[in-house]
Amino acid sequence: MVERDGGYASPDFCSQEHAAQWFSEPLAPLTPLTIRERTARDRVVDVGLALPYVAVAGLAATGLWTVINWIWP
């Protein structure tokens, strides 16, 4: 409930009166969290998103191994 002409809202922030009114109102009731079942498509997407990270880690490990063998033959 913002009254533009009543002085509640300003370009910078709301007034103390408006903040006090807003804090005095009760919070909305919480809605229960619903967790949906994971489908096969979800698992395929997870694997598809993880593969680039695994590939980068493998390439980094290969590069590290190469540098170590180059420095200490």
Side-chain angles (χ1 to χ4, degrees), residues 1-69:
M1 177 162 115
V2 175
E3 290 184 8
R4 299 263 181 229
D5 53 335
Y8 278 157
S10 70
D12 298 329
F13 200 66
C14 65
S15 65
Q16 285 185 340
E17 293 83 16
H18 178 252
Q21 180 184 6
W22 189 82
F23 280 122
S24 68
E25 295 175 3
L27 294 175
L30 295 176
T31 56
L33 198 64
T34 56
I35 299 174
R36 65 181 185 89
E37 292 294 321
R38 291 174 51 109
T39 63
R41 182 174 186 240
D42 292 334
R43 295 184 193 284
V44 168
V45 169
D46 289 344
V47 169
L49 291 173
L51 281 177
Y53 292 105
V54 171
V56 167
L59 290 172
T62 303
L64 182 62
W65 179 260
T66 303
V67 168
I68 288 173
N69 282 330

